[in-house]
Amino acid sequence: MAIVGADVVGHEVDYWPAEVPFESDVEVRKYVPNEDLYWASQGNIRRVVVKYFHLPPIYYLMHWNRGVELAGLDAKVAAGRACKEDFSGAILAEVVGYICRFCDARLRAALADGGNPILSDDMSVRMSTHEFVEKCPVCHHQIMRNVVEFLPRL
């Protein structure tokens, strides 16, 4: 785990590269151990914990479009050399419960958090260029939320 500075992403965050086990000495809100195993295995996702002022830390995902190579970013973050440009194309996502309005499937989804101060500079560009999931993975109807990825049913 490494820390990404406030000058890079808007606040200081703890950053976990792919496949690195998540650890914390304090309770982290929204962290679900069996879900973290899936997110840790995804090449276009990095797990982060954000500490806002006096509030308990919160688990989020940084999500890039598929095909982005992040091993170089992991090395830069570990060395303390990451800069804003290294996070271009990323958006912050929150893992939430999701119910399809067509088939009532109850799923877990990573939703873009466009109102969060992390990665908030040029948010309109980030949101307009990001690839979102367009259909429910169960019934395949068009969805209208900013879902970046569904957690497969465990």
Side-chain angles (χ1 to χ4, degrees), residues 2-69:
I3 295 175
V4 178
D7 57 329
V8 175
V9 293
H11 278 53
E12 284 194 8
V13 300
D14 294 336
Y15 173 102
W16 278 266
E19 305 298 336
V20 172
F22 182 87
E23 296 177 348
S24 179
D25 294 338
V26 298
E27 182 177 342
V28 176
R29 292 178 30 213
K30 302 186 184 245
Y31 167 68
V32 180
N34 64 330
E35 293 179 357
D36 181 68
L37 295 173
Y38 173 76
W39 302 123
S41 71
Q42 301 305 296
N44 64 320
I45 293 175
R46 292 302 182 260
R47 299 151 301 137
V48 296
V49 171
V50 180
K51 299 170 194 150
Y52 298 109
F53 312 106
H54 63 281
L55 299 172
I58 304 171
Y59 178 93
Y60 290 103
L61 305 174
M62 283 187 186
H63 188 277
W64 284 262
N65 290 328
R66 295 221 180 263
V68 173
E69 176 54 50

Side-chain angles (χ1 to χ4, degrees), residues 7-10 84 90 116-126:
D7 57 329
V8 175
V9 293
K84 280 187 177 190
N116 196 299
I118 305 299
L119 302 173
S120 63
D121 59 327
D122 71 346
M123 183 55 70
S124 61
V125 172
R126 289 175 190 267

Side-chain angles (χ1 to χ4, degrees), residues 78-127:
R81 293 184 290 112
C83 62
K84 280 187 177 190
E85 290 74 29
D86 294 320
F87 292 89
S88 65
I91 59 173
L92 198 71
E94 178 180 8
V95 182
V96 298
Y98 180 92
I99 301 173
C100 177
R101 66 185 183 129
F102 296 102
C103 69
D104 287 330
R106 296 182 187 289
L107 306 165
R108 294 286 288 166
L111 287 163
D113 188 349
N116 196 299
I118 305 299
L119 302 173
S120 63
D121 59 327
D122 71 346
M123 183 55 70
S124 61
V125 172
R126 289 175 190 267
M127 295 293 281

